[in-house]
Amino acid sequence: MRGCIVLTLSLMRHAKSDWGDLEQNDYDRALAPRGIKAAALMGKAITRLGLKPSLVLCSGAVRTRATLALMLPELGIPPPQIRHDDQLYLALPATMLDVLVKSGKGFGTVMILAHNPGIHALALALTGSGDKLAIAGLAAKFPTAALAVLRFKCQDWRDARAGTGELTHFMSPRGLE
């Protein structure tokens, strides 16, 4: 493909949330102690693997913001751009792609930090090839604080369509401990 560049998309689910107060509004749910530990652990793994994004698109929910805040110190230098977007709260895959296309122009490495089931569905839809073990893990489930990394051989995020991504990594905190 002439003039081809590689775009990298990291899809991350927020860390484990606290369900201690069943009357609390879902949007305002904080992280559980296990989630606090997992977020930092995933930040270290992202840095170790050289997967630091240049743009983070983060749901506005408390648990996604907290996940990101705990990961940032582990990344060393923070991403040049961080955008909180309420459209990503419990979003469908099509909405996440729309946010990516509108916000990702000029950024070659983007992370979307959001919620299930949308983040899992998006990862499954975009994956067309990749590491067989990673694909099997992704197909099974997308646990809290899990990360799927896809690479696309395309010029623009508009060209990131179903089945065009190569899954290069799929990991969760449990697999890192």
Side-chain angles (χ1 to χ4, degrees):
M1 179 182 243
R2 190 166 182 225
C4 178
I5 60 171
V6 176
L7 302 176
T8 301
L9 177 63
S10 296
L11 299 172
M12 185 169 183
R13 183 179 176 193
H14 63 80
K16 181 76 174 161
S17 56
D18 184 359
W19 286 82
D21 181 358
L22 296 178
E23 293 183 21
Q24 184 174 35
N25 180 313
D26 182 68
Y27 186 89
D28 297 324
R29 199 170 308 285
L31 293 181
R34 188 174 102 199
I36 292 168
K37 179 182 172 190
L41 187 64
M42 291 303 290
K44 288 178 186 173
I46 289 166
T47 299
R48 187 178 66 253
L49 294 169
L51 299 172
K52 293 195 286 189
S54 52
L55 169 65
V56 176
L57 301 171
C58 183
S59 161
V62 169
R63 62 189 176 272
T64 51
R65 287 175 172 263
T67 300
L68 179 58
L70 291 163
M71 287 173 41
L72 287 176
E74 304 303 333
L75 298 180
I77 298 171
Q81 288 276 335
I82 296 172
R83 299 180 189 160
H84 295 95
D85 192 328
D86 280 337
Q87 289 183 79
L88 296 173
Y89 175 65
L90 302 178
L92 295 172
T95 302
M96 290 185 210
L97 275 177
D98 188 51
V99 170
L100 174 64
V101 168
K102 288 178 181 173
S103 301
K105 188 166 183 67
F107 293 96
T109 56
V110 177
M111 173 185 279
I112 297 177
L113 179 51
H115 311 266
N116 254 1
I119 203 82
H120 188 198
L122 180 59
L124 289 170
L126 292 175
T127 300
S129 64
D131 179 84
K132 300 292 185 219
L133 203 54
I135 291 171
L138 173 64
K141 64 180 180 175
F142 206 105
T144 52
L147 178 76
V149 181
L150 295 128
R151 293 216 170 112
F152 299 88
K153 291 180 181 174
C154 59
Q155 296 282 352
D156 191 281
W157 288 113
R158 289 177 299 196
D159 300 322
R161 295 194 175 95
T164 62
E166 175 193 2
L167 184 67
T168 61
H169 296 85
F170 181 69
M171 61 184 147
S172 69
R174 185 163 286 182
L176 300 173
E177 294 177 323

